Amino acid sequence: MLRVASWNVNSLNVRLPQVLEWAEQQCPDLLALQETKLADERFPSQRLAEAGWQEVHAGQKTYNGVAILARGEAHDIVTDLPGLEDPQRRVLAATYGDLRLVNLYVPNGSEVGSEKFDYKLRWLEALNDFLGEELARHEQVVVVGDFNIAPAAADVHDPEAWEGRVLFSETERAAFQRLLDLGLADTFRLFDQPEGVYSWWDYRMNLFRRGMGLRIDHILASPALAKVCTRSTVDPEPRGWERPSDHAPAVADFDLPASTEAAGGT
DNA sequence: ATGGTGGATGCTCCA
């Protein structure tokens, strides 16, 4: 079994103890992090190594930043979307054994119609092309991260209030659907799920306590992996911890052949 | 239309 997890930590500097605690509890084999908000040279490699983790990081001071923690070595690392000039560190793809992992921090988009929204759409276009190439090259592809898109009404606590707004606009949902059209499956929706499962709750107005969130963090899988996915959930627990990230981790399990497990699985 | 909160930075931006 191989467990893949994804967590927007909103500053790894602040959240490192929580990351170590949660990883010890849940034992992911691959843990993708977003919004590390750290330059590469400030990445806490030592403390992570003490806990048995190797990392790759596409770091940036103050904003963005994506990392992957693993037990084994990363190969063929990519940190940019081909064809998109972008200083923002939002992409990190790496290969572990036979498994290609793509870690994303999709732009938030600010407001529908804004300049940042246009950037989000252009970014998603470039992502679509990139993932098409990745899927052509690799059989086992997992695409994880903070997509900043709630795919469907079931992923939004109040879909009527959110309709047309950033994170849940028609345009963004269509862009998300185009990713699925490449052949990727939203692993969460491969299973019966309870209602009201979300991965992000605004810090303001006690929205977590009131159960008012959105499911915008996803684990997508190529056909070969979707076939062997045995579980996909969001763990809301760390969102209730003291001084939490505004996101909860998404987790998926895959029944994989031994060749991949040799690369760091359990 | 604004505010509510949190993180990093430094008298503000981003989410």
Side-chain angles (χ1 to χ4, degrees), chain A residues 128 131-132 135 139 141 143 176-186 220-227:
Chain A
N128 206 282
L131 292 181
L135 286 162
E139 195 163 46
V141 183
V143 184
F176 186 84
Q177 183 58 48
R178 280 194 291 279
L179 302 180
L180 301 187
D181 291 343
L182 293 170
L184 291 165
D186 176 0
L220 313 185
S222 63
L225 282 181
K227 228 185 304 180

Side-chain angles (χ1 to χ4, degrees), chain A residues 185-201:
Chain A
D186 176 0
T187 59
F188 184 82
R189 291 296 169 206
L190 294 174
F191 306 93
D192 281 327
Q193 301 285 359
E195 274 180 54
V197 177
Y198 307 122
S199 69
W200 169 80
W201 301 258

Side-chain angles (χ1 to χ4, degrees), chain A residues 11 26 33 43 51 61 71 77 120 130 132 147 151 170 177 199 212 215 219 228 232 266:
Chain A
S11 167
Q26 299 298 323
L33 304 175
F43 199 83
K61 188 184 165 189
R71 299 304 186 184
I77 296 157
K120 181 177 194 172
F130 173 60
F147 285 72
E170 194 67 51
Q177 183 58 48
S199 69
M212 298 165 74
R215 193 177 68 91
I219 298 180
V228 295
S232 181
T266 47

Side-chain angles (χ1 to χ4, degrees), chain A residues 7-8 10 146 148 155-157 162 167 195-217 233-241 244-250:
Chain A
W7 194 2
N8 180 325
N10 186 19
D146 175 2
N148 270 313
D155 303 309
V156 181
H157 70 90
W162 276 90
L167 310 184
E195 274 180 54
V197 177
Y198 307 122
S199 69
W200 169 80
W201 301 258
D202 197 299
Y203 281 122
R204 293 165 279 197
M205 300 190 294
N206 275 314
L207 293 186
F208 176 66
R209 193 179 48 73
R210 295 157 66 196
M212 298 165 74
L214 274 70
R215 193 177 68 91
I216 58 176
D217 298 85
T233 60
V234 179
D235 179 10
E237 193 192 298
R239 184 62 179 79
W241 291 349
S245 166
D246 46 350
H247 293 253

Side-chain angles (χ1 to χ4, degrees), chain A residues 45-144:
Chain A
S45 307
Q46 176 122 23
R47 284 194 60 192
L48 286 162
E50 284 163 13
W53 293 108
Q54 296 184 42
E55 86 280 353
V56 281
H57 187 219
Q60 185 182 337
K61 188 184 165 189
T62 309
Y63 304 116
N64 312 309
V66 280
I68 299 170
L69 309 187
R71 299 304 186 184
E73 207 185 324
H75 297 277
D76 302 316
I77 296 157
V78 170
T79 59
D80 287 285
L81 296 176
L84 188 81
E85 188 109 1
D86 189 1
Q88 302 189 31
R89 303 293 78 197
R90 298 177 173 279
V91 177
L92 183 58
T95 301
Y96 298 89
D98 292 332
L99 186 100
R100 185 66 168 165
L101 177 61
V102 181
N103 179 18
L104 305 173
Y105 176 43
V106 177
N108 170 281
S110 185
E111 252 183 89
V112 173
S114 67
E115 210 168 290
K116 284 177 188 161
F117 191 76
D118 290 341
Y119 163 61
K120 181 177 194 172
L121 297 182
R122 276 187 288 115
W123 197 95
L124 287 164
E125 281 278 308
L127 174 66
N128 206 282
D129 295 343
F130 173 60
L131 292 181
E133 290 164 23
E134 291 288 294
L135 286 162
R137 261 182 218 134
H138 308 271
E139 195 163 46
Q140 299 182 349
V141 183
V142 195
V143 184
V144 309

